[in-house]
Amino acid sequence: MIKPIPLETLTLAIQGDRRAFQEIVKCHQSFAYAVAYRMVGNRADAEDLTQEAFIRLWRNMSKYRADIKLSTWLYKIVTNLCLDFLKSPRARRRKLDNDLDDAVHVDSGLTPDAILHGQELRAQIEKATEELSPMQKAVFVLRDLEALTVEETCDVLSINADHVKSNLFHARKKISQKLSAIYETREPKNL
Amino acid sequence: MSCMDFEEHIWLYDELSPEQKILLDKHLLTCADCKMIWEQAQALAATSKVWQEDVPAVEHEAQLTHKIMGAIESKRDQKNSLLTLIDLINTRWLRYSMASLSVLLVITFLYDRPFAEHSTETVSHEIPEAASLTRSDFIKDRIKVKKTDDHHFSLLACIENRSCPPLIIEKKKYYENR
């Protein structure tokens, strides 16, 4: 859940106050990172994209209007950066690497088994979504993982509801087929 | 509706209207293939819920914040010096003036009209009636002269050559007296 930013802090940030903007960064960096990581599947790239997203947010802060949510705007920036990244040659090279060993869940209440299960889950997601097109992946991440509504997804991706539904249909179908294939080839684990 | 249409509805069940859901539910009671797809879709929906709750977290939050603010600072410093310079020249009238000056300079340096043609016309008005019979000879002569570089008039060369104006006067007198 994203903590709402006090109006005073927002106003100061729009006026160019860096301390106020730092508060915005602290409140929103976790969710921006989560979106980026779910899209690109790599910690270092997700951090770089998060950093770039906030730099862009800072540059355009003076253009911010109160009628749109800051989180929606940030979603838009992060998602567009991730889409550009996924289409880049660097992303195609990275696809071969898998640094999910670094993806440690910070929640200290988890047991080692739960952490391993979390890593396994993320491995599943990454494996299952690797064959999706960037737009299909974006729609799936925003709709099914970030739990945005169709209208919010349309707004973030600047596409209409039919496009969202079409991409979501193809994404869900492909992921399901991929998961079936993964489970069929996996050997039973002794837990 | 065919099974292909229903398949799309199965995968987008949560986006359907209540009427569409009722239609689909009825179809699932009678079609085994669609029922199987329905079960796959439900399994995926359950898995997605688990994935939803497993939020990837930043390893070192304070470090990331510091990195972001550091990057903003360094970009701000780079921007400031450039911005000052851009602000000085970024006015509309200055842009239009520079554009006009550029066009004028291009025209001036590319313009290379032979002066002799102009002087031919001037001279021809001043030549008395009696000399008009030699005009065609004169023109032929000018054409020959035009071909040699020595007599080819260039405004730029004239400006650079201080002896040019006296030369023009001399030529004018020559043609007037012919």
Side-chain angles (χ1 to χ4, degrees), chain A residues 18 29 143-145 172, chain B residues 11 15 51-52 61 73:
Chain A
R18 275 181 300 117
Q29 72 177 7
R143 184 76 188 91
D144 285 356
L145 302 186
R172 285 175 174 173
Chain B
W11 290 106
E15 319 298 343
W51 288 347
Q52 212 181 86
E61 286 202 21
E73 263 309 313

Side-chain angles (χ1 to χ4, degrees), chain A residues 139-140 142-144 147-154 161-162 164-169 172, chain B residues 8-21 24 38:
Chain A
V139 169
F140 177 73
L142 292 174
R143 184 76 188 91
D144 285 356
L148 297 188
T149 61
V150 170
E151 291 73 31
E152 286 170 336
T153 308
C154 289
D162 289 336
V164 168
K165 289 177 186 175
S166 169
N167 280 294
L168 191 59
F169 161 64
R172 285 175 174 173
Chain B
E8 193 172 328
H9 284 187
I10 288 167
W11 290 106
L12 298 174
Y13 190 76
D14 40 356
E15 319 298 343
L16 299 178
S17 63
E19 296 80 25
Q20 286 174 317
K21 282 182 181 174
L24 176 61
W38 165 256

Side-chain angles (χ1 to χ4, degrees), chain A:
Chain A
M1 195 71 177
I2 303 162
K3 212 168 65 177
I5 301 285
L7 189 62
E8 195 188 330
T9 308
L10 202 53
T11 311
L12 287 169
I14 291 168
Q15 288 166 1
D17 187 314
R18 275 181 300 117
R19 279 197 185 173
F21 189 74
Q22 192 168 343
E23 286 307 307
I24 292 174
V25 171
K26 282 181 185 168
C27 288
H28 289 78
Q29 72 177 7
S30 302
F31 108 81
Y33 174 82
V35 174
Y37 187 87
R38 281 172 163 161
M39 287 283 289
V40 304
N42 176 280
R43 187 180 60 82
D45 290 333
E47 283 187 6
D48 289 343
L49 289 165
T50 306
Q51 179 183 309
E52 184 58 33
F54 280 106
I55 290 170
R56 286 199 186 184
L57 183 66
W58 168 250
R59 268 194 218 137
N60 294 293
M61 208 62 209
S62 55
K63 297 176 194 167
Y64 174 70
R65 300 190 320 268
D67 57 336
I68 50 170
K69 277 163 62 180
L70 187 65
S71 56
T72 305
W73 202 22
L74 191 53
Y75 261 123
K76 230 182 208 183
I77 297 171
V78 173
T79 311
N80 284 332
L81 283 169
C82 292
L83 284 171
D84 290 340
F85 177 82
L86 288 173
K87 291 172 193 167
S88 71
R90 192 177 151 204
R92 286 193 278 272
R93 282 197 297 273
R94 274 259 193 228
K95 217 173 170 183
L96 302 172
D97 300 338
N98 189 345
D99 70 332
L100 288 163
D101 292 337
D102 300 332
V104 175
H105 213 299
V106 177
D107 190 341
S108 58
L110 290 174
T111 62
D113 279 345
I115 291 170
L116 186 64
H117 186 57
Q119 286 180 342
E120 221 175 88
L121 275 176
R122 263 168 257 143
Q124 277 179 11
I125 300 169
E126 183 53 26
K127 199 79 187 150
T129 57
E130 69 184 5
E131 284 174 24
L132 299 180
S133 69
M135 186 54 80
Q136 288 168 354
K137 199 170 189 179
V139 169
F140 177 73
V141 166
L142 292 174
R143 184 76 188 91
D144 285 356
L145 302 186
E146 293 292 315
L148 297 188
T149 61
V150 170
E151 291 73 31
E152 286 170 336
T153 308
C154 289
D155 198 22
V156 168
L157 295 173
S158 303
I159 54 177
N160 60 35
D162 289 336
H163 278 136
V164 168
K165 289 177 186 175
S166 169
N167 280 294
L168 191 59
F169 161 64
H170 290 294
R172 285 175 174 173
K173 192 174 172 185
K174 279 185 191 174
I175 290 171
S176 179
Q177 286 168 351
K178 190 72 184 179
L179 281 176
S180 304
I182 291 169
Y183 287 128
E184 273 169 21
T185 56
R186 267 178 75 180
E187 291 178 14
K189 266 191 160 183
N190 292 328
L191 294 167

